[in-house]
Amino acid sequence: MYQIGVDIGGTNIKVGLVDENMKIVQRETIPFPHTTAEDTAGKIVQAAMQMLNKQGIGLAQTESFGVVVPGSISENADTVVDAHNLDFHDVPLKKLLQEQLPGIPVYLANDADGAALAELYAGAFRGCQTAVLMTLGTGLGGGIILNGRLFCGGMRHGVELGHILLVAGGESCTCGNRGCAEAYCSASALARAGRKAMQMHPDSLLYTRSEGNTDAVDAKFITDCAKDGDAAAAAVFDEYVEHLSAACASIFNLLDPEVIAIGGGVCAAGEFLFEPLREKTTEKCFYRNHGTILPAQLANNAGMIGAAMLHQNANK
Amino acid sequence: MYQIGVDIGGTNIKVGLVDENMKIVQRETIPFPHTTAEDTAGKIVQAAMQMLNKQGIGLAQTESFGVVVPGSISENADTVVDAHNLDFHDVPLKKLLQEQLPGIPVYLANDADGAALAELYAGAFRGCQTAVLMTLGTGLGGGIILNGRLFCGGMRHGVELGHILLVAGGESCTCGNRGCAEAYCSASALARAGRKAMQMHPDSLLYTRSEGNTDAVDAKFITDCAKDGDAAAAAVFDEYVEHLSAACASIFNLLDPEVIAIGGGVCAAGEFLFEPLREKTTEKCFYRNHGTILPAQLANNAGMIGAAMLHQNANK
């Protein structure tokens, strides 16, 4: 049997056919947005049908149809409450798709939750009962696996990993609170700190390489300067890892997961990030034999695979 | 059917007979410590038998025998790994009791976990699927209910609510890390802040009422001075509530529980604590429709009732 996994993003929609080994055997990409949500649902189903045709697979061999979106989902998981990047507000997406897919179970989830599920079935969380994914990008998102299943919050509002407190009363966060983990641990937070340091240290690689252009100073640029031995960049990177390790320790102390996986562009730094991160986290953890910190494994396919696995998650 | 719940503390052991309505129908208290752990197990069973005799209840009507201890429990929940107040280290307590209670299932748990379970069956968490107990005392302990069951950590090390980060790099914590919630939100942290303020404000009620005696300045004393309008005490109490609200917001944002219950002596402050706490927490929460903050309900009986409910928790 096959599962169809759909990842709706702000500029395109990825539709994937996922086999029993959690491999994407065929994919289609269609542009987004369309005139209406009904139109979007129609185009998604059309793309899925084309994909099945290409593989010579009938709908009867398709066990489920899962969709993830970058936004909040209603408690009964049938409606996109708010997905700002999609301009979807109270869109009954499950119903719109289900009408065109009689007999096939349709599932809807948040994309960060989907990514965590993808890691469970095909990535860093394989074999885990309890695991936490933190994705470091513009914000800090992620998902939680508990008892071998996706945990979407006790009241199904979601899990806001970016908004656990890290420095109460500290940096302003986009959520309106101060001191959230997102304000210290997102890739944007690293870039922000790097830009400040660049302006304060005109002799640094941060400044000379970017020629004082703040737009050039992103997470990768800072990491590269730090790797190349720039003291200003190293200090910024070190403080970033310090905060990230505090967030990891906080999660280990509360939930005691077997694995914390870190995703997002910052991870391209590899062991330059993970080695000090593990060391600093262990220093801060209550339990000396806490779980492992690993890079997330699925990157751009996480959404499709996670969406495809929603059926198995629901029936576990 | 009846359950027996045993709460082992540093100075005495409480043995309770709990009926189907989660009421303690009979209790015995015996002193602690004894010469050996074997001796302790024997005395506990003896007290339980006396209790059953008094009620005219046979062992056949006793469904389970649960014990909670102030310490860490092995992953398979049969051994007390470390309970410093009891001087129990690697004590196979379940086996010691089970040998004397053939045919009756024996359970062992941490006392804070037991307290959370007691709230689930007989207190503030009744009807909840997801709930968090924070007990504010010398330290900050507590327990987590997930999916209607006790959650003892993904790797069964426990849940260390006191050691979620609140102010990374801040106040030193007993665990060796800096900035843990315990260092800001325990009753001891409130007392510490009150003592500092007392010495800085010789005109305050904090000083005049205590006559400068730091030992007199505990959580209740500070709360009473704040209630009576003392500016120095009010400032300390306000900052304490500010930090406690940040911890609550952090937990709501991560786990989205239906209820956070607050236990421990600090709760005697009643609405003087809970009203500003709820307000400040809502200001900080990502979700406007987050769960409720309630006082814990079971106080001194939480250990016995939680111990008695371990059987139901295990079979849920």
Side-chain angles (χ1 to χ4, degrees):
Chain A
M1 294 294 279
Y2 294 87
Q3 323 287 334
I4 292 171
V6 180
D7 182 0
I8 310 184
T11 54
N12 60 51
I13 298 174
K14 293 183 277 188
V15 183
L17 184 66
V18 177
D19 71 8
E20 282 165 8
N21 300 315
M22 272 68 85
K23 294 280 176 250
I24 297 174
V25 291
Q26 178 81 38
R27 69 175 71 205
E28 298 284 327
T29 301
I30 56 176
F32 183 86
H34 313 101
T35 49
T36 63
E38 286 77 3
D39 191 16
T40 296
K43 290 218 165 49
I44 289 172
V45 173
Q46 199 178 7
M49 294 306 178
Q50 278 171 9
M51 192 177 65
L52 290 174
N53 281 340
K54 280 184 195 167
Q55 287 284 320
I57 292 169
L59 259 185
Q61 287 163 271
T62 307
E63 197 171 27
S64 75
F65 197 101
V67 180
V68 298
V69 298
S72 54
I73 305 297
S74 62
E75 287 176 37
N76 58 0
D78 62 2
T79 300
V80 181
V81 178
D82 281 305
H84 297 287
N85 289 347
L86 311 183
D87 199 19
F88 271 18
H89 306 283
D90 292 317
V91 170
L93 191 57
K94 181 175 168 176
K95 183 171 149 277
L96 295 177
L97 291 163
Q98 189 70 76
E99 285 168 354
Q100 301 177 60
L101 296 161
I104 296 177
V106 174
Y107 298 91
L108 182 59
N110 168 270
D111 61 353
D113 284 341
L117 201 57
E119 295 293 336
L120 178 65
Y121 281 98
F125 299 160
R126 268 176 289 200
C128 287
Q129 287 293 307
T130 312
V132 176
L133 173 67
M134 285 203 281
T135 306
L136 312 174
T138 309
L140 193 175
I144 299 181
I145 302 297
L146 288 177
N147 298 322
R149 295 189 68 213
L150 186 59
F151 176 76
C152 298
M155 297 171 75
R156 294 195 61 85
H157 290 130
V159 295
E160 287 294 336
L161 279 151
H163 304 285
I164 56 172
L165 264 282
L166 205 58
V167 187
E171 298 276 339
S172 292
C173 183
T174 51
C175 75
N177 195 5
R178 302 183 78 91
C180 294
E182 179 165 296
Y184 293 87
C185 302
S186 63
S188 312
L190 175 57
R192 215 159 39 233
R195 285 168 196 154
K196 250 190 222 167
M198 181 265 274
Q199 280 161 338
M200 284 171 61
H201 300 282
D203 296 337
S204 67
L205 280 184
L206 282 177
Y207 195 95
T208 54
R209 274 194 192 167
S210 67
E211 297 176 337
N213 174 9
T214 50
D215 290 346
V217 182
D218 61 12
K220 182 179 184 314
F221 178 86
I222 296 159
T223 309
D224 288 343
C225 288
K227 279 184 177 176
D228 291 344
D230 183 46
V236 166
F237 191 79
D238 187 61
E239 202 188 341
Y240 175 78
V241 177
E242 181 66 25
H243 281 121
L244 188 56
S245 70
C248 288
S250 202
I251 292 167
F252 276 129
N253 289 351
L254 188 66
L255 297 177
D256 187 29
E258 293 145 277
V259 175
I260 293 177
I262 313 278
V266 178
C267 292
E271 283 304 301
F272 187 73
L273 169 68
F274 282 93
E275 200 186 310
L277 177 60
R278 290 188 187 110
E279 204 171 291
K280 283 172 187 282
T281 301
T282 297
E283 281 170 16
K284 293 181 180 65
C285 265
F286 191 87
Y287 308 111
R288 290 299 163 243
N289 50 349
H290 59 76
T292 314
I293 300 179
L294 296 174
Q297 290 180 11
L298 294 167
N300 295 329
N301 291 335
M304 279 183 287
I305 295 177
M309 292 301 120
L310 286 167
H311 176 64
Q312 266 168 268
N313 179 65
N315 291 285
K316 199 170 178 180
Chain B
M1 293 296 277
Y2 295 86
Q3 323 287 333
I4 293 170
V6 180
D7 182 0
I8 309 184
T11 54
N12 59 51
I13 298 174
K14 292 184 276 188
V15 183
L17 184 65
V18 177
D19 72 8
E20 282 164 8
N21 299 315
M22 272 69 86
K23 295 279 177 251
I24 297 173
V25 292
Q26 176 82 38
R27 69 176 70 207
E28 298 284 328
T29 301
I30 55 176
F32 183 85
H34 313 101
T35 50
T36 64
E38 286 77 5
D39 190 17
T40 296
K43 290 217 165 50
I44 289 173
V45 172
Q46 199 178 10
M49 293 305 178
Q50 278 171 9
M51 190 176 66
L52 291 174
N53 280 341
K54 279 185 197 169
Q55 287 285 319
I57 292 169
L59 258 184
Q61 286 162 272
T62 308
E63 198 172 28
S64 76
F65 197 100
V67 181
V68 297
V69 298
S72 55
I73 305 297
S74 63
E75 288 176 35
N76 58 1
D78 62 3
T79 300
V80 181
V81 178
D82 281 305
H84 296 287
N85 289 348
L86 311 183
D87 199 21
F88 271 18
H89 306 283
D90 293 317
V91 170
L93 191 57
K94 180 175 167 175
K95 184 172 150 276
L96 294 179
L97 291 163
Q98 189 69 76
E99 284 169 354
Q100 300 178 61
L101 296 160
I104 295 178
V106 174
Y107 298 91
L108 182 59
N110 168 270
D111 60 353
D113 285 341
L117 200 57
E119 295 294 335
L120 177 65
Y121 281 97
F125 298 160
R126 268 176 289 199
C128 287
Q129 285 294 305
T130 312
V132 176
L133 172 68
M134 285 203 281
T135 306
L136 313 174
T138 310
L140 193 174
I144 299 181
I145 302 298
L146 288 176
N147 300 319
R149 293 189 69 212
L150 185 61
F151 177 75
C152 298
M155 297 171 75
R156 294 195 60 85
H157 289 130
V159 296
E160 286 295 335
L161 279 151
H163 304 284
I164 56 171
L165 263 284
L166 205 59
V167 186
E171 297 277 340
S172 291
C173 183
T174 51
C175 75
N177 195 7
R178 301 182 78 90
C180 295
E182 178 166 295
Y184 294 86
C185 302
S186 62
S188 313
L190 175 56
R192 216 160 37 234
R195 285 168 197 156
K196 252 190 220 166
M198 181 266 275
Q199 279 161 339
M200 285 171 61
H201 301 282
D203 296 335
S204 65
L205 280 185
L206 282 177
Y207 195 95
T208 54
R209 275 194 193 167
S210 67
E211 298 176 337
N213 174 9
T214 51
D215 291 345
V217 182
D218 60 12
K220 184 179 183 314
F221 178 86
I222 297 159
T223 308
D224 287 343
C225 289
K227 280 184 175 174
D228 291 342
D230 184 46
V236 167
F237 191 78
D238 188 61
E239 202 189 340
Y240 176 78
V241 177
E242 180 67 25
H243 281 121
L244 188 56
S245 70
C248 288
S250 201
I251 291 168
F252 276 129
N253 289 351
L254 187 68
L255 297 178
D256 188 27
E258 294 144 278
V259 175
I260 293 178
I262 313 277
V266 178
C267 292
E271 283 304 301
F272 188 73
L273 168 69
F274 282 93
E275 198 186 311
L277 176 60
R278 290 188 187 109
E279 203 172 291
K280 284 171 187 280
T281 301
T282 297
E283 282 169 15
K284 293 180 180 66
C285 265
F286 192 86
Y287 309 111
R288 290 297 164 243
N289 49 351
H290 59 76
T292 314
I293 300 178
L294 296 174
Q297 291 180 11
L298 293 167
N300 294 331
N301 291 335
M304 278 183 287
I305 295 178
M309 292 301 122
L310 287 166
H311 177 64
Q312 265 168 269
N313 179 65
N315 290 287
K316 200 170 177 180

